[in-house]
Amino acid sequence: MTIRQLLSAAVLCGALATSASAGEVRFTGQGHAYNPAWSPNGRYLAFEVNNYDDKTDLHVSVLNGAIAEDARKVSLPGATGPFGSSQVVVNPVWHPTNNIVFEGSNAGGQYRLYFYQPTGAAAYELIPATAVKGDLTFPAFDAKGNLMAFVADETGAGDIRIRDNNSSSITTVMSSSSAEMFPQFNENASKILFTRKHNNSEDVFEVDVATGQESPVVGGSQDQTRPTYAAGGRILFFDNSRDNSQWDLASVTGPGGTKKVMAKSVRLPHRARPALTPDGQWVAVTFEDPAKANSVVLMKVDGSKTVTIPTSYSACGEPSIGVQDGKVLLAYTALPTGAADYRKLYVVDITDKLQ
């Protein structure tokens, strides 16, 4: 059964599912678990561990259903001794071949992009400084893995460039005096969704890859950030224009469409975009409200269905959804108890909750 068929089988509208039994993803060291990211085949789960001191590590766990092996830490090249003690390794994105590209920095240096095979090979720098200097951030692959968009600050605040992964050639698709962020290809790689920070606000744009012609998608006061393409021509993003102290999940259908708030006062993920299922049909959110903070809520992006997944933990956040051999797996972080020092990472099989 495909993910579309599995998720379309959900018939509960606003129903409360029975409490889910989640398995903890264990890792060495101490810190808050953040930003879980599923591999395309659902066999691997990458995530960050932040000790809020001098480093953020990247870990990868192998999954058999919701059962996770102890995670392995990913080290940057040369990350030993004093350099390894302060590495920052963040923002993992998956290539269709189930390999990872991530941002990394050693000892407070520049952020560069690294490639890693979760089978155990060492990470290596993907784009040498001889090709592009400066900080490289926000990697994103097209659906086939032939192209990678990223942001480079070599010539300014941050421009969007594209790497052809077959030839290693690099072109600039968007350059301005403002900072561009969060690039994402559409389904056929003809357009890139991104945000631009200017005039103390962040707005969403879309650029035609062939022509460089950009179109405003949604903007206004405060920030509209972390956009992602969803099913039915929708674009989902986080929005704090209603109340700059709170974040809403919102959607718009294409450039210039009418903005619709899907969920108010959601918990903003540490780094991630809205958590979609692989087919873009469902999105998972968590909430700041203490009365809702022990649950993860899944909503159909067209607004037709809602399913709540209760947990036995506190301050749930960072939801991420993967599919492994027809099983729908939900990863999320939470405090084991209200007094816990660190956020832990959990995985639960929610396939039966959506039938």
Side-chain angles (χ1 to χ4, degrees):
M1 182 178 288
T2 66
I3 177 63
R4 185 183 297 274
Q5 291 170 327
L6 280 169
L7 295 176
S8 294
V11 295
L12 300 177
C13 181
L16 189 67
T18 57
S19 182
S21 177
E24 182 180 344
V25 182
R26 297 178 299 182
F27 54 88
T28 57
Q30 291 184 328
H32 292 282
Y34 284 120
N35 196 23
W38 289 97
S39 65
N41 65 2
R43 293 288 176 183
Y44 303 102
L45 186 63
F47 60 98
E48 301 169 17
V49 177
N50 189 328
N51 68 2
Y52 281 106
D53 187 5
D54 60 352
K55 69 175 181 177
T56 301
D57 291 321
L58 181 67
H59 289 69
V60 179
S61 179
V62 181
L63 277 292
N64 180 9
I67 301 174
E69 294 182 6
D70 289 359
R72 292 180 294 183
K73 187 175 76 171
V74 179
S75 294
L76 297 179
T80 59
F83 294 101
S85 64
S86 59
Q87 72 172 22
V88 176
V89 185
V90 296
N91 197 20
V93 296
W94 289 92
H95 188 270
T97 57
N98 299 295
N99 296 309
I100 308 174
V101 168
F102 60 85
E103 302 171 20
S105 172
N106 256 331
Q110 292 179 322
Y111 281 91
R112 305 294 296 180
L113 297 181
Y114 294 85
F115 179 89
Y116 177 74
Q117 294 176 304
T119 51
Y124 65 85
E125 189 170 355
L126 183 62
I127 301 175
T130 53
V132 184
K133 298 180 177 64
D135 291 303
L136 308 183
T137 53
F138 297 106
F141 291 107
D142 75 323
K144 294 181 179 180
N146 294 327
L147 304 173
M148 183 185 74
F150 63 98
V151 172
D153 71 353
E154 181 181 24
T155 59
D159 301 330
I160 298 176
R161 304 195 183 190
I162 295 178
R163 179 183 190 265
D164 185 313
N165 295 323
N166 298 311
S167 67
S168 298
S169 63
I170 296 172
T171 57
T172 299
V173 68
M174 173 54 59
S175 178
S176 76
S177 59
S178 300
E180 277 82 37
M181 299 171 287
F182 298 104
Q184 185 186 64
F185 286 101
N186 68 349
E187 188 173 7
N188 65 5
S190 63
K191 296 181 180 180
I192 292 177
L193 195 64
F194 69 97
T195 68
R196 176 178 293 137
K197 193 78 174 180
H198 65 113
N199 297 330
N200 297 315
S201 67
E202 187 177 352
D203 298 331
V204 181
F205 296 84
E206 188 178 58
V207 61
D208 186 289
V209 172
T211 66
Q213 181 67 39
E214 69 174 64
S215 301
V217 174
V218 63
S221 62
Q222 307 303 322
D223 291 335
Q224 290 76 205
T225 188
R226 308 185 195 179
T228 185
Y229 289 108
R234 294 177 178 82
I235 295 170
L236 272 55
F237 56 95
F238 293 113
D239 176 30
N240 74 345
S241 61
R242 180 182 60 86
D243 180 343
N244 62 13
S245 66
Q246 300 182 62
W247 289 94
D248 298 335
L249 175 68
S251 71
V252 64
T253 303
T258 301
K259 180 173 67 176
K260 176 182 178 182
V261 174
M262 299 177 63
K264 293 182 178 180
S265 302
V266 301
R267 182 182 292 273
L268 184 72
H270 192 59
R271 207 181 306 278
R273 304 171 193 265
L276 287 167
T277 52
D279 65 359
Q281 295 279 348
W282 289 73
V283 62
V285 295
T286 58
F287 293 90
E288 293 284 1
D289 184 349
K292 301 178 181 179
N294 67 339
S295 299
V296 180
V297 176
L298 280 79
M299 300 182 293
K300 204 75 176 291
V301 297
D302 64 5
S304 61
K305 298 185 179 74
T306 300
V307 175
T308 300
I309 309 294
T311 80
S312 56
Y313 309 118
S314 302
C316 293
E318 307 288 317
S320 181
I321 304 170
V323 176
Q324 181 189 119
D325 298 331
K327 297 178 180 178
V328 185
L329 303 175
L330 170 68
Y332 62 93
T333 69
L335 296 174
T337 66
D341 291 328
Y342 297 110
R343 300 183 70 82
K344 302 295 185 181
L345 176 61
Y346 302 95
V347 175
V348 60
D349 186 334
I350 61 170
T351 308
D352 64 334
K353 306 298 187 294
L354 300 177
Q355 292 178 339

